[in-house]
Amino acid sequence: MTRPLLEVAGVTVRFGGVTAVDDVSFDVHEGELLGLIGPNGAGKTTMLRAITGVVRTDSGKITLRGEPLDALSIDARIRKGLALSQQIVKPFREISVLDNVVLAAGFAKTRFPMGALLNLSQVAERKTAHAMLSRVDIAGYAEQSPAILPLGILKRLEMARALAQNPRLLLLDEPLAGLNSNESEALATTIADINRQGLTIILIEHNLGEILRVSRRLLVMDNGRKIADGVPMTVMSDPSVRTAYLGGEPAHVETPSHVLD
Ligand SMILES: Nc1ncnc2c1ncn2[C@@H]1O[C@H](COP(=O)(O)OP(=O)(O)O)[C@@H](O)[C@H]1O
Ligand SMILES: [Mg+2]
């Protein structure tokens, strides 16, 4: 087996007296779409933030393509191929949808994102930005202002911004939050398509139906700890997952009508 793309080994993150992530280890292989689930406060967001360097680990080691990330800044980790799409979408509202993605594409080149807009030779960035808007199915909104667009479009813009940085590993934190069921299904399908085109993804999601439909592997956290890691249907029938995650009730999770192949 080839070396994993990402290796998380014994990672612990504490905030004062709270152990948000408690000795968690897992690997992610190239091409995977790993679902990360667990109750509120389980430590999922903190785990992703530890990977991108937004929070510091108290112990453990995180490795991307064999290279330790722990001593690197957030910027350096982005340049190594990580992209984090946050739960709260925060586009620049004064500039167009397209320019928001141009900025993100320019980030790979300049340490000063606003400099990317002043730079006259943005031909490559604009081309990338157009391609990424198409990839997330919002090419028709390129010249509009984010200020007037609905959340469903802004979520796709956020994803296009992450993709424009040409990541090796995309980390998505509850991208479906706030969307209705049709929008959720459509965005989950877009995420699965992006994964099938070759991008490795870790997806945190509360929407169990959609995460079961698109993930091939599920990792479950509870109270900072990893409590299960494996094939979704096996994980969901694990008694410890039912107890911790579903309050002891049998998992009332419908088998998706059309599981993606
Ligand atoms: N910046 C922070 N400062 C202090 N405590 C935090 C911080 N971020 C998260 N926590 C705490 O860490 C625990 C895990 O939170 P989080 O990673 O956000 O969980 P999840 O994303 O699974 O809901 C919670 O108890 C939360 O209150
Ligand atoms: Mg969270």
Side-chain angles (χ1 to χ4, degrees):
M1 205 169 205
T2 55
R3 179 152 199 175
L5 177 64
L6 180 79
E7 294 165 89
V8 173
V11 166
T12 295
V13 179
R14 291 191 196 92
F15 296 112
V18 176
T19 304
V21 173
D22 190 357
D23 193 22
V24 169
S25 301
F26 64 95
D27 289 343
V28 182
H29 285 269
E30 196 93 51
E32 275 198 295
L33 197 175
L34 174 68
L36 174 52
I37 65 170
N40 269 329
K44 306 179 297 295
T45 295
T46 304
M47 186 68 249
L48 288 203
R49 288 185 174 156
I51 294 169
T52 51
V54 176
V55 301
R56 289 277 154 191
T57 55
D58 289 282
S59 57
K61 194 172 171 188
I62 300 173
T63 314
L64 186 73
R65 282 184 283 164
E67 206 177 328
L69 296 181
D70 309 278
L72 300 181
S73 67
I74 300 170
D75 281 11
R77 295 184 203 206
I78 291 171
R79 277 167 235 282
K80 297 276 177 205
L82 292 181
L84 175 65
S85 179
Q86 307 267 9
Q87 192 172 349
I88 312 291
V89 293
K90 289 183 197 145
F92 294 106
R93 294 180 165 262
E94 302 75 18
I95 60 175
S96 70
V97 164
L98 181 72
D99 282 341
N100 265 277
V101 187
V102 170
L103 277 184
F107 185 80
K109 286 191 178 172
T110 171
R111 301 198 120 255
F112 305 101
M114 288 315 283
L117 273 189
L118 304 173
N119 172 7
L120 293 178
S121 61
Q122 319 172 323
V123 180
E125 287 88 342
R126 296 187 79 81
K127 199 172 163 211
T128 301
H130 275 294
M132 295 310 137
L133 290 178
S134 298
R135 209 166 160 193
V136 298
D137 295 323
I138 56 168
Y141 296 90
E143 299 308 330
Q144 297 204 17
S145 162
I148 58 157
L149 293 174
L151 184 65
I153 305 299
L154 296 180
K155 296 257 179 177
R156 286 173 182 270
L157 169 58
E158 173 77 2
M159 208 166 298
R161 282 165 53 87
L163 291 173
Q165 295 170 14
N166 193 25
R168 299 285 301 254
L169 175 61
L170 178 62
L171 309 170
L172 298 172
D173 195 352
E174 298 196 24
L176 309 184
L179 299 182
N180 68 34
S181 65
N182 286 339
E183 290 169 329
S184 289
E185 183 178 355
L187 188 55
T189 299
T190 298
I191 292 166
D193 287 343
I194 288 167
N195 169 250
R196 259 191 305 235
Q197 289 158 15
L199 183 58
T200 312
I201 297 175
I202 302 179
L203 171 63
I204 295 180
E205 198 31 72
H206 263 325
N207 184 325
L208 274 182
E210 291 303 331
I211 206 158
L212 286 172
R213 188 169 71 85
V214 302
S215 303
R216 304 261 189 88
R217 190 179 137 214
L218 271 190
L219 195 148
V220 189
M221 287 181 70
D222 182 38
N223 250 319
R225 296 185 159 270
K226 179 177 100 168
I227 61 165
D229 181 355
V231 176
M233 286 306 165
T234 310
V235 163
M236 294 313 294
S237 59
D238 183 321
S240 66
V241 174
R242 289 188 192 186
T243 305
Y245 186 59
L246 301 160
E249 296 294 316
H252 290 299
V253 176
E254 286 177 39
T255 304
S257 53
H258 50 299
V259 174
L260 295 175
D261 60 3

